[in-house]
Amino acid sequence: MIIKEITVGPLQVCTYIVYDDSAEAMIVDPGADPEKIIAFINALKLLPKHVVITHGHGDHIGANASLKEAFPELQICVHEKDQDMLPYPAKNLSILAAFYGGATVRSPHADRTLKEGDTISAGKCIFEVIHTPGHTPGGICLYCKDQENGQPPVLFSGDSLFKNGIGRTDFPGCSQETLIQSIKNKLLVLDEKTIIYPGHGPSTTLAEEKQHNPFLQ
């Protein structure tokens, strides 16, 4: 598995392009700057199959429309409880100037809705959908526990879990109690060696967050 991080937009969202030697690719949270994402995909001649949205806020979906135009067969995937956020700026909060640098976002509708336990692939890499509500009702993480060559498991945590932090819970549909319980009950039980790739900020490990994240003590 190869993971390319591209930081995009005014809120510095971590967009991830995941692929392997098959050239099939998955794009996680293409928040903005579609030209950067498209240029990388075309330079490596990748075959993007899925866009996976960890939650429906505007800063994580801003490049969806351009990617769908560039790659018409691309499937936009989001949890069923966040699907209504994609096309509506009032629901995805991009209508708030402070949230998305003044720009509103209207994503195409989802091609596929996800739920707990679903799987989605990037080439030979199989990810499990873990529903982690709290930051939004349909927030998800993506977990790949089986990698080749003994590499540690990987978790794309969106805005559920950050290095030494958790996602904001002061927006409509948020709940700090629900988010903390999601993390403790569904993420902290995973392999401690898991590498966490969050929606903002640096990567971390599950062991690090279990020991030092102040919200989880």
Side-chain angles (χ1 to χ4, degrees):
M1 181 193 304
I2 303 170
I3 299 171
K4 169 66 176 180
E5 177 187 336
I6 302 175
T7 303
V8 301
L11 295 185
Q12 299 289 281
V13 170
C14 297
T15 293
Y16 300 101
I17 303 172
V18 186
Y19 59 100
D20 64 10
D21 55 11
S22 73
E24 288 191 3
M26 173 178 75
I27 306 165
V28 180
D29 287 346
D33 301 330
E35 68 283 353
K36 293 182 181 179
I37 302 169
I38 293 169
F40 181 83
I41 289 170
N42 287 339
L44 272 66
K45 299 182 179 178
L46 299 178
L47 305 172
K49 298 294 185 181
H50 305 101
V51 163
V52 184
I53 308 302
T54 62
H55 64 288
H57 284 155
D59 60 327
H60 287 252
I61 64 175
N64 282 4
S66 295
L67 289 171
K68 189 74 170 176
E69 182 177 355
F71 309 107
E73 300 304 314
L74 196 62
Q75 283 202 322
I76 297 174
C77 309
V78 68
H79 192 274
E80 57 190 4
K81 290 188 175 181
D82 276 10
Q83 63 177 313
D84 289 342
M85 299 172 73
L86 299 189
Y88 302 113
K91 292 184 178 182
N92 64 45
L93 303 187
S94 65
I95 199 168
L96 303 176
F99 187 81
Y100 199 69
T104 56
V105 174
R106 297 181 184 274
S107 165
H109 289 275
D111 299 294
R112 176 184 173 188
T113 56
L114 304 171
K115 62 183 184 300
E116 174 83 14
D118 283 351
T119 59
I120 196 161
S121 63
K124 298 185 292 293
C125 309
I126 308 298
F127 288 85
E128 178 186 353
V129 174
I130 302 175
H131 183 209
T132 52
H135 181 63
T136 66
I140 63 169
C141 299
L142 299 172
Y143 184 57
C144 180
K145 64 180 179 180
D146 297 315
Q147 285 206 70
E148 296 179 346
N149 304 319
Q151 296 298 306
V154 165
L155 182 79
F156 293 105
S157 62
D159 284 7
S160 292
L161 180 61
F162 302 131
K163 182 177 176 64
N164 296 328
I166 62 173
R168 290 180 62 167
T169 54
D170 56 345
F171 294 130
C174 296
S175 166
Q176 180 168 305
E177 179 181 359
T178 299
L179 180 56
I180 290 174
Q181 289 304 309
S182 293
I183 294 168
K184 287 185 173 181
N185 294 337
K186 295 186 177 183
L187 302 185
L188 296 192
V189 298
L190 303 176
D191 189 329
E192 287 192 348
K193 297 189 295 295
T194 298
I195 300 173
I196 298 170
Y197 293 94
H200 303 266
S203 61
T204 182
T205 66
L206 195 58
E208 170 74 16
E209 299 315 301
K210 289 177 76 170
Q211 289 293 321
H212 301 296
N213 192 312
F215 293 92
L216 306 179
Q217 304 310 307

